Amino acid sequence: MNLVGALLLALPLGTAAVIGLLHRRLATKQAGALAFGMTAACFGLAVAAFFHLQGLPADARVVEVPLWRWMELGGGASRLALDVGIYLDVLSVTWTLFITGVGSLIFLYSIAYMSHEEGGARYFAYLSLFLFSMLTLVLGSNLALTFLGWEGVGLCSYLLIGFEYGKETAANAGRKAFLVNRIGDVGFLIGMFWTWKLFGTLEVRELTPALLAAGALPPLLAIAFFVGACGKSAQLPLFVWLPDAMAGPTPVSALIHAATMVTAGIYLLCRLSPLFAAAGWALDVVAWVGAGTALFAGLIALRQRDIKRVLAYSTVSQLGYMFLACGLGAFASAAFHVVTHAFFKALLFLGAGAVIHALHGEQDLWKMGDLKHHLPKTARAMKAGAFALAGIAPFAGFFSKDEILGVAFAQAYAGDSSRWVLWGMGVATAALTAFYTARMMTLCFGGTSRVDPHLHPHEAPAPMAFALQLLAVLSLVGGALLGIEALHWMPLHHWLEPVLAPAPEVHLSATLTWALMALALLIAVLSWRVGAKWYSGDFAAARAAEYSLPRLARAIAGRFWVDEIYAVLVVRPLRFLAELALEFDTRVVDGLFRGLGQLAALLGTGLRLLQNGVVHAYAFWFVAGAALLLWLTR
Amino acid sequence: MAPQAWYLILSALLFGLGLAGFVARRNSLVMFMSVELMLNAANLVFVAGSRDHQAARGTACALFVIAVAAAEVAVGLAMVLALFRLKKSVGADEARELRA
Amino acid sequence: MLSERFAFLLFAAIALVGAVNVVTRRNPVHAALWLVGSFLGVAGLFLTLGAGLLGAIQVMVYAGAIMVLFLFVILLLNLETTPFEGLSIARGASLLAAAATLALVVVPFATAKELRAPATPDLPELPATAGNVANALFTKYALPFEVVSLLLLIAMVGAIHLARRPRRGEPA
């Protein structure tokens, strides 16, 4: 097991190094094959780790692989000892499984997708580095290692979003992602420092029992970590980078911005669930921010015309669901939704990538249509993902989303009336989700073709299609396999139970549970129907309707002006300060040095006048100098 | 015994005269001679200073000074000759080519 | 005592008068001859100080060789008496500086109690006889001695080269 753990980190890092150093000499296919092989191997290792843990008794499912001592600072009361090591427990193995599993499918897909791109090998180097960072984040044995991986994925996100660094939108988007993430990172750092101050350690194996034994904990400590999670997982108000990040290649969007990096925030919350559970009103903040983000992003997704942006806002919205679940105390439900979301969101993105690829770069929904005839396999696969997203049974998303709504309802029913609002927001978001998903699917695959007649869309090549099919299968059965609450079949919950803070003890009667399920299904199907109908007919009318709606619609279209607010509050003051600093640098600092240079030149010119070739002048200076020396040493 | 200070003051005066001559005269040969005067003054200090104490060493040092002065005069006068051939004059200010 | 002081004053006068004339005579030959006189005065001073060897060497080398060389060159170049050009501001400034230097040298010499070499145990207290001087030269100052001989060789070679008449076809 030690070897497994070490290899899980060493393989991606090694691959990244090899491809990175040789990237000019490697063809895209070669680099891609190497990277895919590595990822598949990592998945194998993850499976092995999973089975090993399964063989252990339920309360002892931890394997620690210490690698080396990283640093030891201070002494006595203010001592900080950090090791580099791997902490394999049920939570980290779960994450590792879907990261490497979905990841390897995306790597495979990328080989075909990037085959005609410039610098493809560099892409795979970045991807491998990303995998390494993500695994470090998840498998790290202490918070500092997790933060290292945290930063690493942020860096790789920047590198990959801005992969086509010549394209200005991509470069700007990469920068924006990195900077907004940074804001969140401040929260993480504060949380880390505070944690160390309170508990003297950052090691997971020591923190968890300490947190459980601690009694009440300061809510702000949890909020600090939550701020970090908001940055990484694109919650209000730090979500603005995610839609712009769509400027990167589509497999990147699938991997990083749907299935893995954005789930890092949830991972953090799950890992620190004892902290959150004991931190007073912190969980309420999490729940409200999550629900708010879900609704907010769902609204904005209604009016997006770029297919990838619809999916981006949808991701933000679904992440909101996950945070809502955490906020309600149902950490296992959040993890459940993370896994199902990874399946269907990756599928949707990869499918969108296939569509874009077939249309040679067209991403505008209004210029698609009737693609199910040209791309039947893609259309079928994406439909599975779309149903899963919309929450239509028996597809994966239905079960996980239903669980979350169920928890909210249960808590509201048991007397906590604020939960009614949260439940309502969740239900409204579910309806919106189904609606905009149907809109997207219909505009893209159904209706009449608005595709540019010069384009001849063709089905996706084999590697891409394979990935799509596999993910489609997972989107179909993945949810049911992992947990159906009503049938008391909840393997994922039981698996994760020992590690997470216990969920609040509220239960609904069986009848209510089934009723809620039926209600959710009904809402989803109805919303889907409405959406599909509206857009499949005379789309021109629908489009006109979109553009003519009153103020709320315009607000939605303008994405609630969040970016504009940022521009005024944050960007402009920063620009001003930066200009100021630039002025200071060029005028004062550079001026100082230029002045020194000019002074030297001036001195030189002056001294040059002494060299006039007249011997007597020299003699004079001789004597004068001697007199001066004698006088000084008198 | 004449007091040592007298010798020292005398050598200072000789040195000063040599310095004045070096500075004031235009003829390079006379400037040279002034330099010789200064060297002599230095020799006087060597010998006078070591009259009571380690006299042999004072004399040895003075011998070195004389030897160096001889070498210097040889080379210097050769240079004056060469310069005279070029400029047809021994004025020290005639050669001004080496200027900035 | 008295005779010593008298000797000092006599030789000092010769040296000083000679020096003044060197600096002031317009005719270079005259200046050279006065310098010889000044050297003889200094030689006498050496004698009063008990450095007989040095006095002899002064006469032989300085007055007898170096000044002869000077006179050779002056006569070879057939120099004329240079007229007095007048005192320019530059010249005045230089003289002022020289005067200042002089003052700065004289004053400490006049006011110092005694000029004393640092105590060195490696040579015994010996008068400046030829034997003792030779001893010093060949033991303590052996290295400078050798170096000076090298210097003289260099000077010789250099002087010959510098003063050579350019042969036909060679640049000056």
Side-chain angles (χ1 to χ4, degrees), chain C residues 42-131:
Chain C
V42 172
L45 285 169
F46 286 155
L47 285 173
T48 65
L49 283 168
L53 176 68
L54 193 62
I57 291 182
Q58 169 91 346
V59 172
M60 278 193 292
V61 173
Y62 241 124
I66 294 179
M67 290 321 296
V68 169
L69 189 58
F70 259 107
L71 281 166
F72 271 173
V73 173
I74 294 173
L75 296 172
L76 182 66
L77 297 183
N78 207 8
L79 295 175
E80 313 220 313
T81 308
T82 44
F84 183 63
E85 320 90 7
L87 204 60
S88 62
I89 297 185
R91 201 67 64 79
S94 305
L95 280 173
L96 211 64
T101 311
L102 173 63
L104 285 166
V105 173
V106 164
V107 166
F109 278 178
T111 57
K113 297 243 179 59
E114 191 195 323
L115 192 63
R116 207 183 150 73
T120 39
D122 42 351
L123 275 182
E125 297 276 350
L126 292 168
T129 61

Side-chain angles (χ1 to χ4, degrees), chain A residues 300-321:
Chain A
I300 299 183
L302 287 176
R303 284 287 305 274
Q304 296 303 307
R305 45 192 301 180
D306 182 339
I307 189 173
K308 283 178 74 172
R309 288 213 170 205
V310 175
L311 293 174
Y313 282 106
S314 148
T315 306
V316 174
S317 181
Q318 296 304 305
L319 286 169
Y321 265 114

Side-chain angles (χ1 to χ4, degrees), chain A residues 7 16 29 34 64 100 124 176 196 210 249 277 283 286 316 347 371 391 398 400 461 509 523 531 551 577:
Chain A
L7 275 177
K29 281 226 170 88
L34 179 64
E64 290 181 53
T100 50
F124 282 105
K176 185 172 180 179
W196 175 69
L283 275 184
V286 173
V316 174
L347 167 61
L371 285 174
F398 171 71
S400 49
S509 64
I523 293 176
R551 293 181 92 215
L577 281 175

Side-chain angles (χ1 to χ4, degrees), chain A residues 59-350:
Chain A
D59 52 352
R61 287 195 175 132
V62 177
V63 173
E64 290 181 53
V65 183
L67 290 172
W68 72 83
R69 167 132 288 189
W70 189 3
M71 62 175 97
E72 211 173 311
L73 304 168
S78 61
R79 182 169 168 275
L80 175 65
L82 288 175
D83 293 328
V84 170
I86 296 175
Y87 189 81
L88 267 173
D89 72 340
V90 291
L91 187 65
S92 53
V93 132
T94 309
W95 247 260
T96 309
L97 275 172
F98 77 77
I99 292 171
T100 50
V102 176
S104 44
L105 287 174
I106 296 180
F107 272 64
L108 178 65
Y109 177 100
S110 295
I111 301 179
Y113 192 81
M114 301 293 287
S115 59
H116 53 265
E117 291 277 346
E118 277 301 310
R122 181 165 60 95
Y123 170 85
F124 282 105
Y126 290 157
L127 269 189
S128 309
L129 187 64
F130 169 82
L131 194 67
F132 166 72
S133 305
M134 192 69 207
L135 287 177
T136 307
L137 196 160
V138 164
L139 293 169
S141 64
N142 56 55
L143 282 179
L145 273 181
T146 302
F147 187 68
L148 186 71
W150 191 274
E151 292 296 312
V153 296
L155 171 70
C156 293
S157 170
Y158 161 77
L159 287 171
L160 284 164
I161 293 173
F163 179 69
E164 291 171 61
Y165 48 78
K167 212 167 71 165
E168 194 166 346
T169 47
N172 286 341
R175 237 199 334 261
K176 185 172 180 179
F178 193 78
L179 288 174
V180 176
N181 257 217
R182 224 65 189 99
I183 300 176
D185 292 347
V186 174
F188 195 132
L189 279 170
I190 293 178
M192 265 209 301
F193 298 153
W194 199 344
T195 307
W196 175 69
K197 186 152 180 294
L198 283 179
F199 296 104
T201 177
L202 293 174
E203 300 285 332
V204 175
R205 67 169 179 280
E206 291 166 20
L207 260 186
T208 319
L211 285 170
L212 285 169
L217 288 167
L220 282 178
L221 174 58
I223 296 294
F225 282 113
F226 178 59
V227 168
C230 280
K232 197 61 87 184
S233 302
Q235 295 299 289
L236 231 53
L238 296 173
F239 68 91
V240 288
W241 61 271
L242 191 58
D244 284 17
M246 296 300 112
T250 309
V252 168
S253 308
L255 180 63
I256 298 185
H257 308 126
T260 48
M261 185 176 100
V262 293
T263 64
I266 318 288
Y267 177 79
L268 186 67
L269 257 64
C270 287
R271 181 58 84 203
L272 294 173
S273 56
L275 165 63
F276 278 86
W281 43 264
L283 275 184
D284 288 328
V285 172
V286 173
W288 281 98
V289 170
T293 308
L295 189 58
F296 191 76
L299 282 173
I300 299 183
L302 287 176
R303 284 287 305 274
Q304 296 303 307
R305 45 192 301 180
D306 182 339
I307 189 173
K308 283 178 74 172
R309 288 213 170 205
V310 175
L311 293 174
Y313 282 106
S314 148
T315 306
V316 174
S317 181
Q318 296 304 305
L319 286 169
Y321 265 114
M322 298 174 209
F323 279 102
L324 171 61
C326 290
L328 294 171
F331 291 95
S333 305
F336 187 16
H337 202 53
V338 164
V339 176
T340 56
H341 179 262
F343 295 152
F344 62 72
K345 199 39 79 59
L347 167 61
L348 283 170
F349 266 111
L350 293 183

Side-chain angles (χ1 to χ4, degrees), chain A residues 608-609 611-620 622-623, chain B residues 19 22-26 31 92-93 95-96 98-100:
Chain A
R608 189 161 58 88
L609 292 172
Q611 301 276 347
N612 56 2
V614 176
V615 173
H616 276 101
Y618 296 162
F620 166 69
F622 247 58
V623 175
Chain B
L19 196 59
F22 177 72
V23 150
R25 296 299 296 263
R26 231 185 38 136
M31 285 170 79
D93 298 334
R96 292 183 193 218
L98 275 179
R99 57 153 82 199

Side-chain angles (χ1 to χ4, degrees), chain A residues 541-583:
Chain A
R543 182 178 183 172
E546 271 194 19
Y547 283 96
S548 71
L549 288 180
R551 293 181 92 215
L552 178 64
R554 268 188 281 120
I556 295 172
R559 295 162 300 135
F560 292 102
W561 306 290
V562 179
D563 279 314
E564 285 76 9
I565 297 174
Y566 263 108
V568 167
L569 282 183
V570 176
V571 175
R572 259 209 248 133
L574 276 180
R575 273 252 164 79
F576 175 70
L577 281 175
E579 299 273 326
L580 208 65
L582 180 69
E583 277 307 301

Side-chain angles (χ1 to χ4, degrees), chain B residues 1-86 88-90 93, chain C residues 1 4-5 8-9 12 15-16 19-20 22-28 31-32 35 38-39 42 45-46 48-49 51 53-54 57-58 61-62 66-67 69-70 73-74 76-77 79 82 85 91 94-95 98 101-102 105-106 109-110 114-120 122-128 132-133 136-137 140-141 144-145 148 151-152 154-155 158-159 162-166 172:
Chain B
M1 295 255 254
Q4 197 186 50
W6 290 14
Y7 287 95
L8 298 181
I9 296 177
L10 172 66
S11 84
L13 287 172
L14 284 175
F15 184 85
L17 282 169
L19 196 59
F22 177 72
V23 150
R25 296 299 296 263
R26 231 185 38 136
N27 188 325
S28 59
L29 288 163
V30 176
M31 285 170 79
F32 235 118
M33 290 185 227
S34 314
V35 173
E36 298 307 316
L37 254 185
M38 287 195 267
L39 284 169
N40 258 270
N43 268 349
L44 199 53
V45 172
F46 265 121
V47 179
S50 66
R51 174 178 70 176
D52 303 315
H53 190 67
Q54 297 282 2
R57 295 174 68 176
T59 307
C61 290
L63 274 173
F64 284 125
V65 173
I66 294 178
V68 172
E72 169 211 356
V73 166
V75 175
L77 287 179
M79 275 201 282
V80 170
L81 265 178
L83 209 57
F84 180 83
R85 285 208 194 100
L86 200 62
K88 300 291 177 280
S89 157
V90 286
D93 298 334
Chain C
M1 244 356 98
E4 245 200 67
R5 294 196 183 203
F8 169 82
L9 287 170
L16 271 176
V20 171
V22 167
V23 169
T24 48
R25 289 300 118 219
R26 294 283 131 208
N27 189 328
L35 189 57
S38 179
F39 284 165
V42 172
L45 285 169
F46 286 155
T48 65
L49 283 168
L53 176 68
L54 193 62
I57 291 182
Q58 169 91 346
V61 173
Y62 241 124
I66 294 179
M67 290 321 296
L69 189 58
F70 259 107
V73 173
I74 294 173
L76 182 66
L77 297 183
L79 295 175
T82 44
E85 320 90 7
R91 201 67 64 79
S94 305
L95 280 173
T101 311
L102 173 63
V105 173
V106 164
F109 278 178
E114 191 195 323
L115 192 63
R116 207 183 150 73
T120 39
D122 42 351
L123 275 182
E125 297 276 350
L126 292 168
N132 292 333
V133 172
L137 275 180
K140 178 122 184 94
Y141 297 117
F145 181 73
V148 163
L151 178 70
L152 289 170
I154 295 170
L162 279 170
R164 220 168 55 162
R165 252 182 226 287

